[in-house]
Amino acid sequence: MKKPLGAVVIALAMAGVGAAPAVAAPDTTSAVDTSTAVSTVWDTVTSASASLNQALAPQVQAVSFAGTVSLSNCSGSVIRFPNSEADDPALVMSNGHCLETGFPAAGEVIVDQASTRSFGLLNSAGTRVGTLRANKIAYATMTDTDVSIYQLTRTYASIKSTYGIDALTLNDTHPVAGTAITVVSGYWKRTYACNIDGFAYRLKEGAWTWKDSVRYTSACQTIGGTSGSPVIDNATGKVVAVNNTGNEDGGRCTDNNPCEVDASGNVTVREGINYAQETYQIPACFGLDNKLDLSKSGCTLPKP
């Protein structure tokens, strides 16, 4: 797990493309220049083709800090599920190991526990614009995954009305290797851009074991304080995982040095590589009014 440290900012920017209207040139000769005419027609066709290809290309979403939050010791984000409604109580997601009560034990699952924790809400530029407060920990664990989900005292509509900020949507399908992603840390107000390198069948760190973890390519050198950061798919703007750990100095399956274990029990240590826990399975465990329902069909989160 990560401890607060310093890092380098990686900014993501979008480039815009514009087109100028064509204008008729004055007729300076009565002779027809066929080569110029053909060239002009060809340029027009080429320009039209390029514009069409651009229009049909997938539109990449700009990744910003809007909707992320800072915790006292970690990062997080205001999240919603695909079926969440504006009048539902808003939720904040971070890591299980970021709980104010300390690390949950292996096998421990926390549900509906009272909490008054506060979160600093950031706008797109990474400026803190307000404070949100929880009324409970809806769900938290470090078993199979490493996640905490707080229920807030405000609805999505209330947050939107006050701050003009929308919640980040959790994708409800399994992430894909090769996807371009950005880890957005509200604690440090810094971003890390890389790709999903693949998935660890089991990721073991000290007493804890996580299933089907996301492995980053080496460009995402996340640090302490980035724990709980949303991992955003650059193409959709949706959250596909929650950042949680990395192998700091080559240790084997120890605290701060997770190791990968495959289905046959073979262990791989990847020094300097960082990881996240998938979040696609979470929406299936919440129902009407964003209420946790671990008995719902399709819910695979660990139960108390």
Side-chain angles (χ1 to χ4, degrees):
M1 278 70 73
K2 300 290 187 181
K3 302 181 184 67
L5 294 169
V8 178
V9 173
I10 299 173
L12 208 79
M14 293 288 293
V17 180
V23 228
D27 185 3
T28 58
T29 176
S30 57
V32 177
D33 185 342
T34 56
S35 63
T36 301
V38 170
S39 176
T40 301
V41 171
W42 176 251
D43 288 345
T44 302
V45 171
T46 302
S47 176
S49 176
S51 298
L52 179 60
N53 288 337
Q54 183 184 0
L56 295 176
Q59 298 301 301
V60 177
Q61 303 295 310
V63 177
S64 75
F65 292 97
T68 62
V69 299
S70 58
L71 284 67
S72 57
N73 59 344
C74 288
S75 301
S77 56
V78 181
I79 58 152
R80 66 182 302 278
F81 308 126
N83 294 326
S84 293
E85 298 182 352
D87 61 354
D88 289 342
L91 305 172
V92 160
M93 180 177 70
S94 187
N95 285 147
H97 78 258
C98 293
L99 289 177
E100 65 269 40
T101 52
F103 292 8
E108 182 180 5
V109 176
I110 298 165
V111 298
D112 294 332
Q113 177 176 295
S115 173
T116 58
R117 193 167 198 182
S118 61
F119 311 91
L121 178 66
L122 306 185
N123 65 12
S124 60
T127 302
R128 180 170 175 153
V129 293
T131 299
L132 304 177
R133 191 169 297 279
N135 55 27
K136 71 176 179 180
I137 301 167
Y139 183 87
T141 191
M142 287 179 65
T143 299
D144 293 354
T145 186
D146 183 6
V147 69
S148 59
I149 299 176
Y150 290 83
Q151 180 177 293
L152 303 183
T153 58
R154 303 182 67 159
T155 65
Y156 298 117
S158 172
I159 294 172
K160 175 74 171 179
S161 174
T162 303
Y163 305 107
I165 293 174
D166 292 311
L168 301 177
T169 300
L170 291 196
N171 198 354
D172 57 2
T173 58
H174 193 286
V176 177
T179 298
I181 55 172
T182 303
V183 182
V184 187
S185 171
Y187 184 92
W188 290 114
K189 301 176 180 61
R190 294 169 178 168
T191 63
Y192 303 80
C194 62
N195 293 74
I196 294 178
D197 183 55
F199 306 94
Y201 175 73
R202 296 290 183 268
L203 191 66
K204 182 172 175 57
E205 180 174 345
W208 298 276
T209 300
W210 303 305
K211 296 180 178 179
D212 197 22
S213 303
V214 172
R215 181 197 316 116
Y216 304 144
T217 52
S218 59
C220 274
Q221 289 296 305
T222 51
I223 58 169
T226 63
S227 288
S229 299
V231 180
I232 298 175
D233 181 333
N234 293 351
T236 66
K238 293 183 178 180
V239 178
V240 295
V242 57
N243 180 67
N244 83 308
T245 194
N247 188 292
E248 295 183 359
D249 53 27
R252 181 184 172 97
C253 314
T254 60
D255 289 353
N256 304 313
N257 289 289
C259 63
E260 298 183 21
V261 184
D262 68 16
S264 300
N266 300 308
V267 175
T268 302
V269 173
R270 303 179 191 267
E271 183 176 357
I273 294 300
N274 296 292
Y275 300 88
Q277 300 308 307
E278 296 166 350
T279 52
Y280 76 96
Q281 71 276 37
I282 295 175
C285 300
F286 284 78
L288 190 65
D289 299 327
N290 275 355
K291 287 187 177 178
L292 177 70
D293 184 358
L294 296 176
S295 65
K296 275 188 67 182
S297 174
C299 177
T300 59
L301 288 177
K303 300 171 177 56

